[in-house]
Amino acid sequence: MRNTKFKEFRESLKDSSRFFLGSNKVLQIALGRTPAEELKEDLHRASEMIRGDCGLFFTNLSDEKAERTFEEFEEYDFGRTGSLATETIELKEGPLEQFSHDMEPFLRKQGLPVRLNKGVVELIADFTVCQAGEQLSPEASRILRLLGIQMAAFRLHLLCRWKRDEFHVFKEAVELHDSRESSQLMP
């Protein structure tokens, strides 16, 4: 989980909400894993959904406001090694004036075909940093960071909602959770 992005989100909701993150087993035991162990009716159903990157979200917000807050939250960040490229990035042959001359050895180590030409870093051939839909290599993620290209979107999804006498599952979020594509929280 991207800590700084989550901390900012948590800070924006601190007056009305609390997040609990921790060991999934501890969260499950706290809610009750079976109908016999649960403190309130249907809490064990929420407990069954805790797996992977999950947490609990307690709030005084209305259902609609809480759902809208999570739907609208999206922060972009630099892609990490192993994440999928959202677009193909190709660099054309020629000068790379955004880099100083002392970056040339580092760029060469990242696989870029570069040389110094009168103190300017120059790309000597076209270079594809990454292909859309493919996983980012460590080198590609470092090059994208240097170029300032953000490909990762940090989102939080509600899996289910429990309140007295009502349990609701958000189907779209469960499908995402099952595919393990992003981090989720449960209210």
Side-chain angles (χ1 to χ4, degrees):
M1 186 173 287
R2 295 171 190 262
N3 255 348
T4 56
K5 306 291 184 190
F6 177 69
K7 285 179 183 176
E8 291 169 8
F9 184 65
R10 184 178 63 191
E11 186 68 24
S12 71
L13 294 170
K14 77 176 184 178
D15 294 334
S16 62
S17 309
R18 294 287 180 263
F19 291 89
F20 290 92
L21 304 173
S23 163
N24 288 348
K25 292 273 188 210
V26 172
L27 294 175
Q28 289 171 340
I29 291 169
L31 294 177
R33 292 186 285 187
T34 65
E37 294 174 349
E38 66 188 5
L39 295 173
K40 300 283 184 181
E41 189 174 340
D42 280 341
L43 269 178
H44 76 280
R45 292 177 62 194
S47 176
E48 292 169 355
M49 299 184 78
I50 297 176
R51 63 184 185 278
D53 292 331
C54 270
L56 300 176
F57 173 61
F58 294 87
T59 186
N60 293 329
L61 297 174
S62 69
D63 296 344
E64 296 79 25
K65 174 99 169 120
E67 289 173 37
R68 189 173 54 252
T69 301
F70 276 79
E71 286 170 5
E72 292 172 354
F73 178 73
E74 182 175 71
E75 293 283 331
Y76 289 93
D77 202 355
F78 297 105
R80 295 181 177 179
T81 301
S83 62
L84 296 179
T86 57
E87 59 184 298
T88 299
I89 302 295
E90 296 176 345
L91 300 176
K92 299 294 180 199
E93 178 182 348
L96 298 173
E97 298 191 10
Q98 67 266 44
F99 300 118
S100 64
H101 69 282
D102 58 346
M103 289 290 293
E104 187 263 342
F106 177 77
L107 293 171
R108 200 171 336 106
K109 285 181 185 174
Q110 303 312 309
L112 284 170
V114 293
R115 69 174 178 207
L116 278 179
N117 185 5
K118 298 181 184 174
V120 177
V121 177
E122 182 179 50
L123 194 62
I124 57 176
D126 290 350
F127 183 77
T128 301
V129 178
C130 60
Q131 293 282 342
E134 293 183 5
Q135 287 188 344
L136 292 178
S137 67
E139 296 79 15
S141 63
R142 285 190 284 264
I143 293 168
L144 291 171
R145 182 177 290 269
L146 289 172
L147 294 171
I149 299 172
Q150 297 182 337
M151 284 196 175
F154 177 70
R155 296 181 200 101
L156 297 168
H157 301 280
L158 296 172
L159 289 178
C160 65
R161 176 182 62 231
W162 178 89
K163 59 183 180 181
R164 251 178 266 266
D165 303 323
E166 183 186 342
F167 182 78
H168 176 73
V169 175
F170 299 98
K171 291 194 185 299
E172 311 81 32
V174 171
E175 290 168 5
L176 273 176
H177 185 59
D178 289 342
S179 67
R180 303 174 77 91
E181 289 181 0
S182 59
S183 299
Q184 295 89 19
L185 291 171
M186 295 173 25

